[in-house]
């Protein structure tokens, strides 16, 4: 069991770094936010597809919703003839704890297991984006979503670290990815400022 948790932790961080982050670098340069997602097959942890936020095109295109849309698309870009597994055969990975819209989208789509790298509190502290928590509190009167329901179960990758065989190494890897996301966020902010200056001209 512990070996499985370790394998899953390291694989998920690999997917964030190698599959999601490159898409997000491209995305932030086009003015989209830093949040990304991926779908993996539960049996061998192979990647089905990765995606990133497209909020500058439409405010609903959070990383998760975009990725779900691509997952169900008949021939998604870059994966023309790969047959899709069923959502229940997959693990869903979010770089950041999913917001209320994305959680509902995941429940409606039938993904039973959802992993996230950075929790709401980190999102609020690192990126000054408190909307997730404010929407939950103000609209749903809910301090935080349930980790387990009949629709899906949510797992924090950061919270797995103390139970891993090599927690020091895992924490260091986590912190390296955190630094990458802070850099992505700075690039996003700079791109946004530049485009609002251009718009004012
Ligand atoms: Zn969302």
């Amino acid at each position: 069991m512990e070996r499985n948790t370790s394998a899953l932790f390291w694989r998920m961080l690999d997917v964030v770094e190698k599959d999601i982050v490159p898409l997000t670098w491209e995305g932030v340069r086009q003015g989209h936010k830093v949040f990304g997602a991926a779908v993996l097959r539960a049996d061998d942890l192979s990647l089905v597809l990765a995606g990133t936020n497209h909020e500058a095109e439409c405010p609903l295109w959070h990383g998760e919703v975009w990725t779900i849309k691509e997952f169900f698309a008949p021939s998604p870009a870059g994966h023309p003839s790969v047959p899709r597994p069923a959502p229940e055969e997959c693990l869903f990975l979010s770089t950041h704890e999913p917001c209320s819209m994305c959680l509902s989208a995941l429940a409606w789509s039938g993904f039973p297991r959802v992993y996230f790298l950075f929790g709401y509190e980190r999102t609020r502290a690192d990126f000054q984006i408190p909307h997730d928590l404010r929407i939950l509190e103000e609209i749903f009167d809910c301090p935080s979503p349930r980790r387990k329901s009949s629709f899906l179960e949510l797992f924090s990758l950061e919270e797995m670290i103390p139970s891993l065989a090599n927690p020091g190494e895992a924490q260091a890897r986590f912190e390296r990815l955190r630094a990458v996301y802070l850099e992505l966020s700075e690039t996003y902010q700079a791109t946004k400022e530049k485009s609002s200056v251009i718009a004012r001209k």
Side-chain angles (χ1 to χ4, degrees):
M1 177 63 197
E2 191 185 88
R3 222 176 91 204
N4 288 345
T5 308
S6 279
L8 190 125
F9 175 89
W10 291 101
R11 171 67 183 142
M12 291 219 162
L13 269 68
D14 274 348
V15 169
V16 171
E17 189 175 340
K18 299 190 175 108
D19 299 296
I20 300 175
V21 163
L23 296 175
T24 303
W25 271 119
E26 194 54 43
V28 295
R29 289 189 188 109
Q30 293 166 23
H32 306 302
K33 283 203 177 84
V34 302
F35 310 110
V39 179
L40 286 79
R41 286 178 191 267
D43 54 2
D44 61 3
L45 302 182
S46 62
L47 181 74
V48 179
L49 84 162
T52 195
N53 182 291
H54 283 70
E55 220 175 41
E57 283 173 28
C58 165
L60 303 186
W61 293 149
H62 286 194
E64 295 91 332
V65 173
W66 176 268
T67 303
I68 293 168
K69 174 187 85 81
E70 294 282 292
F71 180 88
F72 287 105
S75 55
H79 305 268
S81 59
V82 180
R84 287 274 179 266
E88 56 269 23
E89 296 171 296
C90 297
L91 306 178
F92 198 93
L93 169 61
S94 286
T95 56
H96 297 72
E97 189 169 0
C99 74
S100 51
M101 173 180 74
C102 293
L103 274 179
S104 296
L106 287 161
W108 280 107
S109 312
F111 287 98
R113 278 181 290 170
V114 179
Y115 294 79
F116 62 87
L117 188 57
F118 305 108
Y120 288 140
E121 297 298 340
R122 281 210 185 272
T123 306
R124 178 158 67 175
D126 287 353
F127 308 128
Q128 292 84 47
I129 299 178
H131 309 319
D132 295 342
L133 289 167
R134 280 194 52 209
I135 289 173
L136 279 172
E137 280 163 19
E138 292 186 28
I139 300 179
F140 298 99
D141 193 19
C142 166
S144 63
R146 268 198 194 113
R147 283 289 174 86
K148 195 173 181 176
S149 66
S150 63
F151 293 99
L152 53 86
E153 190 165 3
L154 280 165
F155 302 91
S156 158
L157 291 164
E158 185 179 8
E159 287 169 17
M160 285 178 190
I161 292 174
S163 67
L164 301 177
N166 40 4
E169 208 180 309
Q171 188 67 42
R173 180 85 194 277
F174 176 86
E175 294 301 336
R176 282 203 299 278
L177 269 175
R178 201 174 150 215
V180 169
Y181 274 89
L182 285 169
E183 208 185 324
L184 278 166
S185 177
E186 277 165 24
T187 305
Y188 164 75
Q189 296 294 348
T191 306
K192 218 170 81 169
E193 273 162 36
K194 211 165 92 188
S195 55
S196 66
V197 167
I198 291 165
R200 280 200 302 271
K201 275 183 183 168

